């Protein structure tokens, strides 16, 4: 008894082909495709399915807190932002050159959104990405101290093609975190790309690190080959709050009328 073609395709690990075989056959018959066109459609579908699965794996491995894209970013709300620079960075050229991107601005101005958006573009281009906030990195390192896995935790942020270190400056770094931060930056310097977001100007970074020497060493390596993206504008969260308040006010006025 002959084994069904669908089963044979699955044994060859051509799952998408097996799944769409009948539908593609019906479509090709209707369109009067040649045998090669029918095969080409099956192969393209299989490749597309595999590419999408690989992308999903890279996005999951990146551990973004939320998925945000550059297309969703409201550039009109931040008119002073260098849109041309952001779009140039989105091409991934800075990753090829092992360069750094530093996003500086007040809380709520969109630094994290832009960082994740650039990270998503990197995932789409086939790069490995890893995201963490400084606070989460601190928690991981403290937990790693208990089971002596600090080196493994640091290695997680040394190996990827792109690492995003979010929210530098919101809380001071203790000695453990400052040392780990320096080692991550130093290990990646001129070898891989890093994105850092911060609410503090470079002049204020010494306030974040327990030792000004470490602050200077980190800054020196990050700024060299860096693209600085300052964001000077209002907070998106305050904008949303004002919108909600205005909406509630309008509703109240309608009810009163």
């Amino acid at each position: 008894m002959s084994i069904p073609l669908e089963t044979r395709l699955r044994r060859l690990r051509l799952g998408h082909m097996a799944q769409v075989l009948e539908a593609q056959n019906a479509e090709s018959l209707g369109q009067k495709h040649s045998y090669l066109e029918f095969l080409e459609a099956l192969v393209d579908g299989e490749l597309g399915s595999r590419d999408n699965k690989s992308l999903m794996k890279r996005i999951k491995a990146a551990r973004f807190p939320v998925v945000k894209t550059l297309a969703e970013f409201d550039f009109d709300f931040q008119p002073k932002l260098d849109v041309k620079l952001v779009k140039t960075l989105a091409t991934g050229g800075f990753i090829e050159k092992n360069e750094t991107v530093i996003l500086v601005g007040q809380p709520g101005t969109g630094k994290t959104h832009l960082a994740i958006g650039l990270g998503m573009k990197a995932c789409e281009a086939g790069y490995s990405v890893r995201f963490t906030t400084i606070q989460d990195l601190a928690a991981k390192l403290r937990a790693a101290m208990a089971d002596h896995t600090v080196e493994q935790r640091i290695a997680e942020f040394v190996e990827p093609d792109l690492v995003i270190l979010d929210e530098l400056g919101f809380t001071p770094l203790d000695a453990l975190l400052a040392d780990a931060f320096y080692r991550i930056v130093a290990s990646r310097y001129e070898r891989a790309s890093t994105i850092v977001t911060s609410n503090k100007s470079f002049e204020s970074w010494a306030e974040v690190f327990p030792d000004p020497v470490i602050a200077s060493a980190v800054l020196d390596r990050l700024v060299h080959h860096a693209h600085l993206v300052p964001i000077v504008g209002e907070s998106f969260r305050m904008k949303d709050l004002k919108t909600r308040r205005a909406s509630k006010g309008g509703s109240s006025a309608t009810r009163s009328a």
Side-chain angles (χ1 to χ4, degrees), residues 220-233:
D220 182 62
R221 285 165 175 78
L222 284 177
V223 172
H224 195 211
H225 310 306
H227 299 274
L228 177 62
V229 185
I231 309 177
V232 181

Side-chain angles (χ1 to χ4, degrees), residues 138 141-142 145 150 173-181:
L141 290 171
R142 293 187 189 107
M145 286 286 289
V150 172
L173 280 60
D174 59 22
L176 173 65
L177 183 55
D179 176 68
F181 191 93

